[in-house]
Amino acid sequence: MSVKAAAIGIVVADMAVSVAFYRHLDLEFTGADAPHGHAVADLGNGMRLMLDTEASIQSFTSGWTRPSGSPRVALAFEFDTPHEVDAKFTELMAAGYHGLRGPWDAPWGQRYASVTDPDGSGVDLFAPLG
């Protein structure tokens, strides 16, 4: 048997709002306007990001309820330079999104920042310092 990771799925309250957020990270989605509540973006290297609406998940998962509390998972997006991390964080804040921690130089050698997407999932931005 051979198995490999192929996709990351996130349940979203509003497809259009979530797609707009992830477009700030240069992701383009197929299916975002389809009535079935499922959209997919290519992350490269064979990985995909799948967004599914709460209504879609509830249609086949009995008893599903929206999680609450702090982010339990985070997607991490790598940039080429620390300046790009700072600029993307500034862009996301100007667009009205929520920052968890502004850009800082992490002791493991990266410029790092953390935000949340519209549904509270963590999104980290990072680049090598040197």
Side-chain angles (χ1 to χ4, degrees):
M1 179 165 91
S2 177
V3 64
K4 66 179 182 176
I8 299 164
I10 299 175
V11 180
V12 301
D14 185 314
M15 183 66 75
V17 169
S18 294
V19 166
F21 172 83
Y22 284 103
R23 282 188 174 144
H24 281 279
L25 297 165
D26 297 331
L27 296 183
E28 289 301 323
F29 289 86
T30 58
D33 297 325
H36 54 67
H38 178 79
V40 179
D42 182 12
L43 295 174
N45 297 319
M47 288 291 292
R48 298 178 305 274
L49 177 61
M50 302 183 308
L51 304 180
D52 290 285
T53 62
E54 292 175 356
S56 173
I57 295 299
Q58 289 168 338
S59 75
F60 61 83
T61 306
S62 176
W64 183 88
T65 59
R66 177 190 291 202
S68 63
S70 297
R72 297 177 63 112
V73 66
L75 301 176
F77 290 85
E78 183 175 8
F79 294 81
D80 291 331
T81 68
H83 172 74
E84 291 174 318
V85 171
D86 296 355
K88 186 56 67 176
F89 183 84
T90 299
E91 175 189 325
L92 291 168
M93 295 306 96
Y97 298 110
H98 178 71
L100 292 175
R101 182 168 184 180
W104 58 290
D105 293 340
W108 52 85
Q110 293 175 328
R111 184 71 168 168
Y112 221 87
S114 296
V115 301
T116 57
D117 75 4
D119 294 285
S121 297
V123 176
D124 294 340
L125 316 171
F126 71 95
L129 281 173

